[in-house]
Amino acid sequence: AATSLSPGRVAAPPPMAAAATGTGGQTLGRSSFSRAASSKTASSSSSPTASGVKLGPNGAAFVSSGIPDLDRILDGGFLLGSVVMVMEDSDAPHHLLLLRAFMAQGVVHKQPLLFAAPMKEPRSFLGALPAPVASSKEDARQRAMGGGAAGDGRASDEGLRIAWQYRKYFGDERNSNAEHRDNKQEFSHDFDLRKPLERHLLNAQHIECLSTQDVDTLHDLQNRSSAFLSKHQRKEGGNLSAGRIAIQSLCAPQCGYFGKDWDMVSFLRSLKAMVRSSNAVAIITFPYTVLSDSFCKRWQHLADTLLSIKAIPDEDKDLAKLLTGYQDMVGFLHVHKVAQTNSQVPTQVPVILEASTFSLKLRKRR
Amino acid sequence: PPPQLEAEMEEYGAGDLLSEAMCAGARVVVVEDCVEAPAAFVLHLLLKRALAAGGGGGGGAALLALAQPFSHYDRVLRKMGCNLSMHRKSERLHFFDLQGFPGGTQGGAIADSLAQLYSAVQRVVETCRAGENAGRFTVMIDDVSLLEVAANGSADDVLDFLHYCVTLTSEMNCSLVVLIHEDIYSSEDGVGLLAHLRYIADLVIKAAPLSTGLATDVHGQLSVVNKGMLIEQRPAKGQKVWSFHFKVKENGADFFYPGSRH
């Protein structure tokens, strides 16, 4: 039997709240650091367009990162026209979790995708894209009631959750979100990392793949990006269709152009300019430790949104004492910069977050 | 404050700590920042002041923009009460969209492209000076680190270009304001772009994060160093180094001494 809770109020959870509340696909309430201006982005108030694009004030448009928690942390999602950069941890491939969610979200929303990676066959990576968590009436009822274990014996599935260290309270947002969950065209989905995205979705999509391994210049990637972005030019009052560019490990040693520091940063600069005038978002992960400090800083300055991932060592007794829910954590996500959301292009006011370090947890849900 | 200083404060807008610290007459202003404390907001403020019609002849400005498209600056400055579109139309503001610079022929030497850019800037400055407009002209570069990327790493070419711009300041009564990302160069050996800029600067404005970390009311600290003794102006209150906190807002920025924020 599921636990019944009155709508809008939830029993105080332990600090790692993700573990306490959940049935699949549930959002955990509004952020405790919502800024004065943030009422605009409450997903209950703006219904997403069919193409998976959410509009914000001043002409800002967002697409989901594929991780609802991350969308909330970034106060909306990934801003169209911006470049997201993710500093990888060389000890762990967690950046791939972000990429998979990002790409899968785009496929689900039928948004064209350009994917580049230092692999012989980047297209094979598409097989690793996760399927959205299946939404059922039973789930919806459970969510509206606020929690408890699913009694239907569904096989457990895994999803990526991002939780804060010091979550303070939940809010009413959860209920209105529950209603929207049944809407097929919702803005963001939870993804089940154990289930691959259905093949037919991948075949029907406009997905371009490009290998950066063994190519000794970035010209091809630049040309392909340019061609891709020219199909997503921003138009005044035009129909908002979004594109996604995902580049994995841009400066990895396997890349043929590895070591050509100025070429790489030059490519980034030109990509940023192209993305800026488009309805697309580009996410670029990079193993920053192979770059010199100086170039690493150049890359960081070029990012509109800058994230970094740090693996959490297993069996670290000190950390286990310090962090609740340590066993479930796979890594830390640190937010260094956020593309500004108050206008179509970033403004000068920096976003100061109450908490800028978050934990990544793979959650098993029943 | 004495009437002369008051008038200068008026001219530069607000009577805030930043204008106090920036003695009038600085020809070469270098603004430094880092990832944790970006200082584009300082450029925006200085641009607004450069275009403000103070007293008789209004100011003029040329913005060499590598970092953002025009629409960005327009949006930002609009919230600060400055209409860039209008200034651009009336040719008070000359906007150089350098997002794609040098563009075109990859094979062409960067030195040539920079020389062409300099000529264009020089023409603009000369035209403005020739008009009835006797006010201060400001050449602003956002930012030098990107100019270096555009030059494919050739710091020498960038320095040559900057030196030419500096000659403009002495010959044409204009000032040069450049933004550079200090953290890119701090790990380098030898005398790089940053060291050169600091050397030729009259004024260095540096933004840094607070050592105590993030805060909602304070976004960082600004240090202002007046390097040279400036022609015709009395030394700015005899004070060479200023240090204070700042908070960036949509319509500008607040500057205040630590602990004095109400």
Side-chain angles (χ1 to χ4, degrees):
Chain A
T3 316
S4 169
L5 297 165
S6 53
R9 286 196 22 91
V10 179
M16 297 322 296
T21 52
T23 49
Q26 178 56 333
T27 55
L28 293 179
R30 60 185 312 128
S31 67
S32 67
F33 53 67
S34 47
R35 289 171 292 146
S38 70
S39 53
K40 55 177 158 90
T41 57
S43 50
S44 54
S45 57
S46 60
S47 46
T49 68
S51 50
V53 176
K54 179 164 72 178
L55 298 177
N58 297 324
F62 302 94
V63 291
S64 170
S65 60
I67 304 168
D69 287 334
L70 183 57
D71 289 343
R72 240 193 329 278
I73 289 167
L74 298 177
D75 208 27
F78 286 156
L79 190 63
L80 287 182
S82 74
V83 172
V84 179
M85 290 174 56
V86 182
M87 297 167 67
E88 301 173 16
D89 183 335
S90 47
D91 292 335
H94 301 321
H95 57 280
L96 295 179
L97 296 171
L98 263 62
L99 273 177
R100 289 160 72 192
F102 175 78
M103 291 165 65
Q105 184 70 81
V107 169
V108 164
H109 282 141
K110 299 184 174 21
Q111 291 158 346
L113 171 69
L114 172 63
F115 172 60
M119 306 171 186
K120 280 256 185 284
E121 283 296 338
R123 201 156 263 277
S124 60
F125 185 68
L126 300 181
L129 298 190
V133 166
S135 171
S136 68
K137 285 212 179 73
E138 173 69 20
D139 281 341
R141 188 180 68 83
Q142 299 244 330
R143 276 176 241 125
M145 291 164 61
D152 59 359
R154 258 177 47 227
S156 65
D157 50 57
E158 258 190 2
L160 182 65
R161 306 312 304 271
I162 297 181
W164 315 339
Q165 293 283 351
Y166 308 111
R167 188 187 303 275
K168 291 199 175 62
Y169 44 75
F170 296 162
D172 297 318
E173 193 180 290
R174 124 199 324 252
N175 284 312
S176 40
N177 276 336
E179 282 142 32
H180 281 272
R181 279 288 155 184
D182 287 334
N183 180 357
K184 282 197 175 57
Q185 298 299 341
E186 53 193 280
F187 175 70
S188 71
H189 295 80
D190 273 303
F191 288 95
D192 183 349
L193 294 165
R194 287 190 179 173
K195 292 199 191 111
L197 202 50
E198 291 163 56
R199 276 276 145 195
H200 75 89
L201 281 175
L202 292 171
N203 291 334
Q205 291 314 306
H206 184 204
I207 303 177
E208 293 177 50
C209 294
L210 188 60
S211 169
T212 51
Q213 188 173 325
D214 305 330
V215 285
D216 62 355
T217 78
L218 282 158
H219 289 150
D220 202 25
L221 181 56
Q222 181 152 344
N223 292 337
R224 293 281 287 272
S225 305
S226 177
F228 180 85
L229 290 166
S230 63
K231 296 184 209 140
H232 294 277
Q233 280 304 293
R234 179 168 304 181
K235 287 186 274 283
E236 282 307 317
N239 222 352
L240 219 46
S241 77
R244 294 179 184 238
I245 295 182
I247 304 178
Q248 186 208 318
S249 304
L250 180 62
C251 60
Q254 307 95 288
C255 300
Y257 50 81
F258 176 70
K260 299 188 181 173
D261 289 321
W262 288 107
D263 286 357
M264 289 192 282
V265 75
S266 194
F267 163 75
L268 277 174
R269 176 187 164 230
S270 75
L271 178 69
K272 180 175 176 175
M274 293 191 286
V275 168
R276 181 65 94 243
S277 61
S278 75
N279 279 332
V281 62
I283 184 167
I284 300 167
T285 74
F286 64 108
Y288 68 100
T289 49
V290 306
L291 294 173
S292 68
D293 289 341
S294 173
F295 275 97
C296 184
K297 282 293 170 193
R298 287 190 192 271
W299 286 51
Q300 291 178 7
H301 275 285
L302 277 166
D304 293 310
T305 297
L306 179 66
L307 310 172
S308 67
I309 307 242
K310 268 260 170 310
I312 291 181
D314 292 333
E315 310 296 330
D316 183 314
K317 292 198 170 50
D318 291 329
L319 273 179
K321 278 188 235 156
L322 203 60
L323 304 165
T324 336
Y326 165 75
Q327 296 77 10
D328 295 330
M329 291 185 204
V330 299
F332 288 123
L333 174 77
H334 190 83
V335 180
H336 300 264
K337 287 208 252 185
V338 178
Q340 292 316 296
T341 60
N342 286 338
S343 73
Q344 194 175 14
V345 287
T347 67
Q348 64 173 349
V349 180
V351 172
I352 300 293
L353 308 172
E354 273 186 24
S356 58
T357 301
F358 307 88
S359 64
L360 287 163
K361 295 167 79 177
L362 285 169
R363 279 198 54 237
K364 289 182 175 30
R365 290 186 286 244
R366 298 201 48 101
Chain B
Q4 188 193 17
L5 186 57
E6 278 234 51
E8 277 158 14
M9 277 197 207
E10 273 301 308
E11 182 193 332
Y12 284 91
D16 60 27
L17 277 173
L18 181 61
S19 357
E20 266 190 67
M22 293 177 64
C23 52
R27 294 222 182 271
V28 180
V29 179
V30 173
V31 182
E32 301 182 15
D33 73 358
C34 56
V35 173
E36 298 81 10
F41 76 95
V42 175
L43 285 197
H44 302 149
L45 260 173
L46 295 182
L47 181 60
K48 174 186 173 181
R49 290 175 188 179
L51 291 168
L63 174 56
L64 280 58
L66 295 105
Q68 304 283 0
F70 178 75
S71 54
H72 168 83
Y73 299 100
D74 194 22
R75 210 115 205 185
V76 168
L77 271 282
R78 205 175 286 255
K79 292 180 189 177
M80 295 166 63
C82 177
N83 189 337
L84 285 190
S85 298
M86 182 189 75
H87 286 306
R88 194 188 196 186
K89 275 205 183 69
S90 62
E91 301 205 341
R92 268 279 205 76
L93 169 70
H94 298 264
F95 186 83
F96 291 81
D97 187 335
L98 300 178
Q99 283 187 109
F101 179 84
T105 51
Q106 291 289 2
I110 184 61
D112 292 336
S113 306
L114 282 170
Q116 278 173 11
L117 177 62
Y118 172 73
S119 301
V121 174
Q122 183 186 31
R123 264 197 305 278
V124 158
V125 179
E126 281 172 356
T127 315
C128 274
R129 307 303 300 136
E132 72 282 4
N133 204 342
R136 220 351 137 61
F137 194 86
T138 304
V139 176
M140 189 173 276
I141 303 180
D142 182 11
D143 58 68
V144 169
S145 306
L146 279 176
L147 197 55
E148 200 183 359
V149 175
N152 229 40
S154 172
D156 287 342
D157 284 318
V158 175
L159 267 170
D160 284 346
F161 172 79
L162 290 171
H163 279 295
Y164 273 104
C165 290
V166 171
T167 60
L168 271 181
T169 65
S170 45
E171 289 172 15
M172 296 268 172
N173 188 29
C174 74
S175 47
L176 177 68
V177 178
V178 303
L179 174 66
I180 186 167
H181 302 311
E182 168 267 336
D183 52 355
I184 291 176
Y185 307 90
S186 52
S187 55
E188 283 180 351
D189 310 315
V191 183
L193 210 46
L194 179 64
H196 270 113
L197 277 176
R198 283 174 173 169
Y199 178 68
I200 61 177
D202 295 317
L203 195 73
V204 176
I205 304 174
K206 178 170 164 173
L210 293 182
S211 52
T212 44
L214 296 176
T216 40
D217 289 333
V218 186
H219 294 161
Q221 54 193 10
L222 218 56
S223 75
V224 181
V225 179
N226 288 292
K227 303 232 349 284
M229 215 52 145
L230 303 163
I231 30 129
E232 103 223 26
Q233 303 292 339
R234 77 287 169 277
K237 300 180 84 171
Q239 185 172 341
K240 291 224 142 194
V241 180
W242 298 66
S243 188
F244 43 86
H245 287 177
F246 66 86
K247 175 178 177 169
V248 187
K249 307 185 302 195
E250 293 281 2
N251 65 347
D254 284 343
F255 304 106
F256 46 93
Y257 284 120
S260 65
R261 193 113 166 89
H262 31 240

